[in-house]
Amino acid sequence: MKKATECVQAGWTPAKGEPRALPIYQSTTFKYENSDQMARLFDLEESGYFYSRLQNPTNDAVAAKIAALEGGVAAMLTSSGMAAVFFAAFNICEAGGHFLSACNIYGGAYNLFGVTMKKMGVDCTFFDPDKLTDDEVKALIQPNTKFIFGETISNPGGAVFDIERYAKIAHEAGVPLIIDNTFATPVNCRPIEWGADIVVHSTTKYMDGHASCVGGVIVDSGNFDWLAHADKFPGLCLPDESYHGLTYAKDFGKFAYITKATAQLMRDLGSCQSPQDAYVLNIGLESLHVRMRQHCENAQKVAEWLQTRPEVGWIHFAGLPTDKYYPLYQKYLPKGGCGVIAFGLKGTREEAVKFMDSLKMINIVTHVADVKTCVLHPASHTHRQLSDEQLREAGIAPDLVRLSIGIEDASDIIADLAQALDALQQSK
Ligand SMILES: *Cc1c(COP(=O)(O)O)cnc(C)c1O
């Protein structure tokens, strides 16, 4: 199926007499005929539902749709994008482990990697994906390095990650590449086709698309050969004593990674998505391909217009031929990137705040990537825990304004921005 068809049709295929719309299995538990059937489920000898923390039919249908969209073999929904990022990482590393991450990533992930996982004994080295040569990146890889992490399009800076290049470096080192594909969505880029092994999303953003539900997902390509690097990944390649000694990579083949994430991490750490939220997410997915087209078309118009305004000091939007990332954009995102534009106004930080406060239709919200155009100043909002130096390290200028372009009529978005810029001029 083509991606547009998968958005609408994949995941839930009702049999005769079953509901056409994806049903919400609002149940924690599932019934079986006898104790032996239950026991086999608990031992992972049979697949089936027994408790919604681990698996639920509504969630599984939505996960299957996203796996199809990304071209993966299996997926698992999580309660948030942060849970997806953490589980994706923690599923293949533990205390004493190490990984590499692009420095220009989502602020929450930056903090998770640099602070919280460090407390768990997992070390992260941040690298600048645009400044280092291949050899310089390889020099950062240690014997205990477990994976490399980057975002297809970085939040909020709009940098495009060279997925193919980093997949090659990771694979030469015998480790997988994990890509956060939240901003591009599989409609615009499928990282697995470029060599990524595992893909994560905050489904809170474009996938849900309506700012309704917080959620996340992990998709596994099934391509990484864990057993070929068994010494690095004991969790997948040695017997799990909490499951009577089964070995994920041997017993579940291409499904090893997601099976372990479900059976072990979801079992022990929770963070499952509710079936109700998965249902809402699925409604969002049904129009993802249509919305992404409009987000990108509108953002292109707004970015080109912003470029003509004398108040705008700089603008990062990979769809502009003048943008530093335009060559990577043409390679990875030929149909469009996303609706997010980062820009800075000539003038002070206070003036940036005044500009945002003058907007009428466009709201200031701690959100991005939904149907309503919104704006945020990371230095005073989402990233306020970071120092100016850390901000710059994360690729975020202190004056950066993040504009998330919705699917309204582009002329109304531009009119609101224009009147706010005019108001700023008049106040000078
Ligand atoms: C928002 C976001 C996250 C975190 O997702 P939540 O759903 O807010 O937990 C992770 N990565 C990226 C790129 C994001 O934009």
Side-chain angles (χ1 to χ4, degrees), residues 80-83 85 106 109 151 153 155 180 182-183 201-205 214-216 368:
S80 70
M82 283 313 301
V85 172
Y106 176 68
E151 293 177 0
I153 304 174
N155 177 7
D180 184 331
T182 297
F183 271 15
H201 283 271
S202 164
T203 61
T204 316
K205 315 294 166 55
V214 174
V368 64

Side-chain angles (χ1 to χ4, degrees), residues 186-219:
V187 169
N188 284 338
C189 178
R190 299 215 294 180
I192 290 171
E193 287 175 357
W194 297 102
D197 301 283
I198 293 143
V199 176
V200 298
H201 283 271
S202 164
T203 61
T204 316
K205 315 294 166 55
Y206 289 116
M207 283 192 168
D208 173 283
H210 299 77
S212 302
C213 297
V214 174
V217 68
I218 306 174
V219 183

Side-chain angles (χ1 to χ4, degrees), residues 81-82 85-86 105-117 126 149 151 155-156 180 205 382-383 385-386 396:
M82 283 313 301
V85 172
F86 174 59
I105 55 169
Y106 176 68
Y110 189 83
N111 206 65
L112 169 70
F113 293 168
V115 180
T116 302
M117 286 185 73
F126 291 106
F149 182 94
E151 293 177 0
N155 177 7
D180 184 331
K205 315 294 166 55
T382 46
H383 291 62
Q385 78 277 15
L386 302 186
I396 302 162

Side-chain angles (χ1 to χ4, degrees), residues 294 297-302 305 361-362 373 405-419:
Q294 194 64 31
E297 194 183 302
N298 281 358
Q300 188 73 31
K301 282 183 190 160
V302 173
W305 174 81
M361 178 187 82
I362 301 170
T373 298
I405 302 298
I407 61 171
E408 305 94 341
D409 193 293
S411 65
D412 287 323
I413 301 168
I414 289 172
D416 195 19
L417 293 168
Q419 67 77 25

